[in-house]
Amino acid sequence: MKPSILQLNPILIPAISEKLHSLYNVHRYFEIADKEAFIKEHGNSIRGVVSGGHTGISNALMEKLPALEVVAINGVGVDAVDLNYARKRGIDVTATLGALTEDVADLAIGLLIATCRGICSGDRVVRNGLWAKNPHPGSIPLSRRFSGMRIGIVGMGRVGRAIAARASAFGCPISYTDLHAMKDLDYPFIADLEELARQSDALILSASADKAEGIVNAAILDALGPDGFLVNIARGKLVNEPDLVAALAEGRISGAGLDVFVDEPNVPEVLFGLDSVVLQAHRASATVETRTAMGEMVLASLAQALSGQRPDNSLTR
Ligand code: 8YV
């Protein structure tokens, strides 16, 4: 009999989805209306869970799955899974480490350029016929150069490093903060986030969220200042969102490029009216190439765990 898997999020690559269905008895939890009744009937048979980084899985749900052996996260962030709880139960929690680094770093740079150069607001001017109505070049404000901006990276893991490499190629001096300085890096380490913000033209958030909730607050945004930009491709909860919305609405920072939010898919509506903001719907890893690579890693993790091996990307053993 095929092992039973609970899938908490859709997988967007058909070939991966088909493979998953061919190997396992897959229950698509996100499509089940009466979740409680489903768990009562099938909870005891579920041996694996597939979920997204942002969704993770609650302890309450894991508790209802006594046969659970593996939670395969189709993502790199595992902040929405209680790793200690999983470890105690002997459940492997895996992530797609390294699979999405390049695409997430690309989007970080793309968001910063789009924000400081006004690419999306400029597109709206052209698309809405406002250029033709008001062709004077001064009707669109001049923007801010990206090349050479002082970039402060918050979280120097795989993604932070890939962002640093890209920004360096644009002549941007890089500084960073993390839990500690990294010996293999020559970029200046600035332990204090407020000081990093003060010394940066743009802060890019690429930290994991488990130890850093709410670290970007009004004080950090004010240190970044009215000419500064914020980019977040990590997790919305790294930022105190009301503080960010207020700083943007009051022009206390120059702009923000945001791929992630505290309560996705709900985005503070004030942001919709601000040309200084470029918004994305949590899309940093959403390319065919990356999602294929991630899906293959999820399949490998399930196969390894359910055949009694330690999955290569297990974070719990
Ligand atoms: C994905 C993510 O959008 O990797 C992560 O932690 O949040 C994103 O890459 C998500 O996991 C898709 O399932």
Side-chain angles (χ1 to χ4, degrees):
M1 213 172 78
K2 291 183 195 175
S4 287
I5 298 288
L6 195 61
Q7 187 186 347
L8 304 193
N9 286 127
I11 286 184
L12 303 178
I13 302 293
I16 300 289
S17 204
E18 280 156 27
K19 188 92 195 275
L20 190 69
H21 281 264
S22 75
L23 295 171
Y24 304 105
N25 177 22
V26 181
H27 300 280
R28 291 159 69 89
Y29 196 58
F30 54 95
E31 287 173 350
I32 294 168
D34 190 344
K35 293 189 165 46
E36 213 169 300
F38 168 84
I39 291 294
K40 246 187 208 153
E41 196 183 334
H42 299 280
N44 287 340
S45 66
I46 301 294
R47 293 178 58 197
V49 161
V50 176
S51 186
H54 184 69
T55 307
I57 182 170
S58 66
N59 286 0
L61 182 52
M62 283 197 275
E63 269 160 25
K64 292 177 191 152
L65 309 175
L68 188 60
E69 292 167 54
V70 56
V71 174
I73 296 294
N74 189 27
V76 74
V78 290
D79 50 295
V81 188
D82 182 342
L83 295 184
N84 288 329
Y85 171 86
R87 206 170 280 124
K88 271 187 216 142
R89 286 251 327 253
I91 298 167
D92 279 305
V93 178
T94 67
T96 61
L97 307 176
L100 42 71
T101 309
E102 311 304 330
D103 281 341
V104 177
D106 289 353
L107 194 78
I109 297 295
L111 276 173
L112 183 49
I113 297 179
T115 306
C116 72
R117 293 299 307 270
I119 292 178
C120 298
S121 54
D123 174 88
R124 287 190 291 273
V125 167
V126 177
R127 197 182 289 266
N128 295 332
L130 300 175
W131 189 22
K133 266 191 202 146
N134 197 356
H136 188 278
S139 63
I140 302 172
L142 295 179
S143 64
R144 164 79 160 87
R145 176 188 290 170
F146 167 64
S147 291
M149 257 189 188
R150 297 168 303 158
I151 305 290
I153 297 182
V154 181
M156 210 40 144
R158 291 180 185 81
V159 171
R161 287 166 185 240
I163 293 169
R166 283 157 176 71
S168 296
F170 284 86
C172 298
I174 308 292
S175 312
Y176 73 100
T177 193
D178 206 307
L179 299 177
H180 51 79
M182 298 185 190
K183 288 200 181 80
D184 61 325
L185 293 179
D186 289 335
Y187 308 119
F189 170 71
I190 301 180
D192 180 36
L193 177 55
E194 196 170 323
E195 186 52 34
L196 180 70
R198 203 168 290 120
Q199 292 186 25
S200 301
D201 299 311
L203 274 188
I204 303 185
L205 309 184
S206 50
S208 65
D210 34 7
K211 295 189 192 82
E213 202 163 332
I215 54 169
V216 177
N217 55 23
I220 304 299
L221 296 166
D222 286 332
L224 189 58
D227 296 325
F229 294 86
L230 181 80
V231 168
N232 191 0
I233 42 71
R235 283 287 182 271
K237 64 184 170 189
L238 290 171
V239 179
N240 178 317
E241 208 166 65
D243 283 4
L244 174 61
V245 171
L248 285 162
E250 293 160 16
R252 290 175 16 243
I253 66 168
S254 196
L258 305 172
D259 186 44
V260 287
F261 303 87
V262 170
D263 178 29
E264 295 170 9
N266 301 306
V267 174
E269 275 188 34
V270 179
L271 299 181
F272 300 159
L274 299 179
D275 271 346
S276 58
V277 175
V278 175
L279 303 169
Q280 285 286 292
H282 201 144
R283 302 289 292 164
S285 70
T287 67
V288 171
E289 293 79 1
T290 282
R291 288 294 170 85
T292 303
M294 288 164 68
E296 276 160 6
M297 289 175 87
V298 164
L299 289 171
S301 294
L302 290 175
Q304 288 168 330
L306 297 177
S307 63
Q309 297 168 52
R310 180 194 176 277
D312 295 336
N313 291 304
S314 177
L315 299 168
T316 46
R317 71 163 150 151

